[in-house]
Amino acid sequence: MQETRQNRIARLLQKELSLIFQSQTRQMRGMMVSVTRAKVSPDLSVCTAYLSVFPSEKGAETLKNITANEKSVRFELGRRVGKQLRIIPELRFFLDDSLDYLEHIDELLKGK
């Protein structure tokens, strides 16, 4: 039962975080941030979000900016899901480089 609740909250947070990043990156032309996966701790106090950044060259810089503005992102998240959650979880962001890894594997396979 607890795991089902964790998954529902993780999906909710993933959706809302992606909407927040979509509205914030709309001002920066030529850049896109998407939330590929979100995981929530069993006590629902920590949310780990994996971000995919396009173009991938700006990934580290974008992650640094998002981490620096973590409090404002959490505040905006609280405004969106405050009626559904008692505690807004602490946010942790990581780069999801799985698409870059897949691209690299494809290049290697084409080279042979």
Side-chain angles (χ1 to χ4, degrees), residues 32-111:
M32 188 173 76
V33 177
S34 61
V35 182
T36 56
R37 186 174 60 194
K39 292 175 21 180
V40 180
S41 64
D43 62 351
L44 308 177
S45 66
V46 178
C47 174
T48 305
Y50 295 90
L51 307 176
S52 179
V53 179
F54 179 79
S56 59
E57 297 84 34
K58 296 183 180 182
E61 177 187 341
T62 304
L63 182 66
K64 190 184 297 184
N65 288 339
I66 289 172
T67 305
N69 296 318
E70 183 178 327
K71 289 184 181 184
S72 63
V73 173
R74 186 175 180 206
F75 177 77
E76 179 64 28
L77 183 66
R79 287 184 48 215
R80 291 173 178 249
V81 298
K83 304 283 186 197
Q84 299 166 7
L85 297 177
R86 199 176 321 167
I87 298 172
I88 306 304
E90 175 187 332
L91 300 174
R92 295 183 183 155
F93 298 106
F94 295 99
L95 276 180
D96 184 9
D97 57 354
S98 59
L99 292 176
D100 295 333
Y101 181 72
L102 288 173
E103 206 172 280
H104 177 68
I105 296 295
D106 281 344
E107 289 174 9
L108 290 175
L109 291 175
K110 286 179 184 176

